[in-house]
Amino acid sequence: AGFLGEDGFAEGQSAANFLLQKCKESNKQKFNILELAGTENSSIATARAEGFRSVIKNDKRFNFIHSEDGDFLRSRGKEIMDSIIKENGGLKIGNEPIDVIFSHNDPMTLGLLDSLEQHQISPKNTIIISIDAEQESIDALINGKLNCVVECNPKLGPTLMDLVQKVASGETIPRTTYMEETVFTENDDFSTDEP
């Protein structure tokens, strides 16, 4: 009858919009981006990648220097970052510093943070953007380890039941219903109990 879920393309766009805003006042001529992509050829990884690129494609300062499939796994996020640090002697690819990390989900992001911590590398000079908004990532954002977390809203239940009841009573529902999603950033006030 219809699709209910997340809009991966919009999530990628939200991530890139934060990046544009963050870099708006910067005098830097180039920002090198490392992308930790989700499972290769999965619809959500493709949508997030395309959404992100659609926003920054006309800004010549942004340059993808490496993109790797992390399979949405924390272990792969750590493995990829461990490998980059070992092969390049730090948070860089060859002689190019990694200025921005765009990760398609929180587990991979948390894995790369595990790696940075293990190698005693501070993420302070790197813009790190993640998607999901798991509590551990929100905590990392509050602690200054991440700059932006785009929510992937899992609370489908009430909307699903509303749509099911409409279908059951013979009503037509929209072909696509996307969940409302929040963007959490380093600029937010997290002093209350609820982010």
Side-chain angles (χ1 to χ4, degrees), residues 24-38:
K24 190 167 72 172
E25 306 295 324
S26 175
N27 294 324
K28 275 184 72 129
Q29 298 300 306
K30 185 165 74 166
F31 293 92
N32 294 317
I33 302 172
L34 165 66
E35 179 180 40
L36 290 186

Side-chain angles (χ1 to χ4, degrees), residues 81-176:
M81 190 51 62
D82 284 346
S83 176
I84 287 171
I85 292 168
K86 183 179 177 186
E87 289 173 23
N88 300 280
L91 204 50
K92 56 187 179 177
I93 303 287
N95 294 321
E96 296 283 340
I98 296 170
D99 304 304
V100 179
I101 299 173
F102 169 47
S103 174
H104 286 196
N105 83 334
D106 285 351
M108 293 187 298
T109 307
L110 294 166
L112 77 86
L113 289 177
D114 292 340
S115 175
L116 293 178
E117 186 174 336
Q118 183 181 325
H119 290 92
Q120 299 179 325
I121 297 173
S122 170
K124 290 285 185 201
N125 296 322
T126 308
I127 301 166
I128 305 178
I129 303 168
S130 187
I131 299 177
D132 271 352
E134 293 180 5
Q135 187 58 52
E136 195 174 348
S137 283
I138 297 296
D139 293 342
L141 177 65
I142 292 168
N143 293 322
K145 295 176 182 176
L146 298 179
N147 302 87
C148 175
V149 180
V150 177
E151 180 185 34
C152 172
N153 189 344
K155 298 174 183 171
L156 304 175
T159 306
L160 173 63
M161 290 313 298
D162 180 53
L163 293 171
V164 167
Q165 286 169 350
K166 285 179 178 173
V167 169
S169 65
E171 290 182 53
T172 301
I173 63 168
R175 290 295 298 158
T176 304

Side-chain angles (χ1 to χ4, degrees), residues 2-62:
F3 170 83
L4 169 66
E6 63 189 292
D7 185 343
F9 191 84
E11 290 168 347
Q13 288 181 312
S14 294
N17 283 326
F18 168 80
L19 180 61
L20 283 182
Q21 193 63 34
K22 172 86 174 165
C23 300
K24 190 167 72 172
E25 306 295 324
S26 175
N27 294 324
K28 275 184 72 129
Q29 298 300 306
K30 185 165 74 166
F31 293 92
N32 294 317
I33 302 172
L34 165 66
E35 179 180 40
L36 290 186
T39 305
E40 190 174 4
N41 297 324
S42 67
S43 59
I44 196 64
T46 301
R48 287 175 178 173
E50 289 176 355
F52 190 84
R53 284 163 175 78
S54 75
V55 171
I56 63 168
K57 66 182 178 187
N58 295 325
D59 192 326
K60 301 302 179 207
R61 296 176 301 162
F62 297 108

